[in-house]
Amino acid sequence: MALNDIPLFDEVLLRNLPVDNQVISEPNMDGLRLRPLCTRDFDRGFMKTLAQLTDVGDVSPETFIDRFEEMKRLGNHYVVVVEDTDNGSVVATALLILERKFIHACTTRGRVEDVVVCSSVRGKGLGKLLVSTLTLLAERLGCYKVTLECKPAISSFYERLGYTVSEELYMQRRFGH
Ligand code: 16G
């Protein structure tokens, strides 16, 4: 299967979200476009952008497509990208994952993950746009809460977007990476 422009999820979901008191009906900014991920983004530098967050490993186009198709099949992964429309490169991305639960009358929890803005375009408010968009999307999709993990040094960035530090600790066990 070749790389293509078919979106991971319906772009309509990103319309009319009241981000920063402005209704973004056309999520196009000056030379920048916020939209769902598609497989062609592999050739537009999506993985290089992610590599500014953490180690991304060696991922072939085939493996990328398999993971994309799996996310699409599952239907609970919302990866958004910001494309620089002047040169067609992906300059920022973030992911919202929905977790289905039995608690709270079979509710849904959202997790914002893998938020990264390329160093070349930092300072334009793209991080704020991505996180605000996915937070509002989580609400639109019926989540009772949306959470994220971040380094203490950037917690104020998320606090400005309405997040609070949880009383609960974030714990982990790592396997390999
Ligand atoms: C940050 C990210 C998390 C990502 C992790 C990768 C946000 C809000 N948080 O915590 O989503 O998965 O970094 O770091 O983007 P790791 O490779 O050390 O797990």
Side-chain angles (χ1 to χ4, degrees):
M1 193 199 189
L3 302 172
N4 62 48
D5 293 309
I6 299 169
L8 179 61
F9 62 92
D10 191 346
E11 191 162 359
V12 165
L13 285 173
L14 298 179
R15 301 231 174 98
N16 302 312
L17 289 169
V19 175
D20 202 16
N21 298 327
Q22 294 169 353
V23 175
I24 298 189
S25 51
E26 282 298 318
N28 287 295
M29 303 142 280
D30 274 357
L32 297 167
R33 181 170 172 235
L34 175 71
R35 57 167 175 77
L37 177 75
C38 64
T39 54
R40 206 184 302 282
D41 290 329
F42 183 83
D43 277 350
R44 296 187 178 114
F46 173 72
M47 296 300 285
K48 286 198 188 85
T49 295
L50 269 184
Q52 293 197 19
L53 176 70
T54 188
D55 171 45
V56 294
D58 190 12
V59 176
S60 67
E62 292 73 27
T63 307
F64 181 79
I65 290 171
D66 284 351
R67 177 47 48 92
F68 180 96
E69 291 302 330
E70 184 183 5
M71 287 182 171
K72 194 163 179 134
R73 210 168 41 247
L74 288 167
N76 60 346
H77 288 66
Y78 299 83
V79 183
V80 290
V81 297
V82 177
E83 181 189 341
D84 180 334
T85 51
D86 293 336
N87 60 20
S89 63
V90 168
V91 294
T93 181
L95 160 66
L96 169 70
I97 304 174
L98 301 193
E99 253 179 35
R100 306 296 183 198
K101 293 182 168 278
F102 287 112
I103 62 167
H104 301 307
C106 293
T107 191
T108 300
R109 169 188 181 157
R111 290 180 186 268
V112 170
E113 292 270 9
D114 301 346
V115 179
V116 53
V117 177
C118 277
S119 50
S120 56
V121 292
R122 285 194 194 139
K124 293 175 187 281
L126 293 183
K128 185 176 170 195
L129 176 72
L130 286 170
V131 176
S132 307
T133 298
L134 292 188
T135 304
L136 290 163
L137 182 59
E139 188 178 17
R140 174 174 279 181
L141 293 173
C143 292
Y144 84 108
K145 70 178 180 183
V146 57
T147 64
L148 56 85
E149 294 105 39
C150 70
K151 297 215 160 56
I154 56 165
S155 61
S156 58
F157 165 76
Y158 291 105
E159 281 172 341
R160 284 196 293 277
L161 298 176
Y163 286 78
T164 53
V165 177
S166 165
E167 282 175 12
E168 296 189 353
L169 281 181
Y170 163 57
M171 298 183 70
Q172 64 173 351
R173 271 189 69 177
R174 297 186 79 109
F175 304 101
H177 295 286

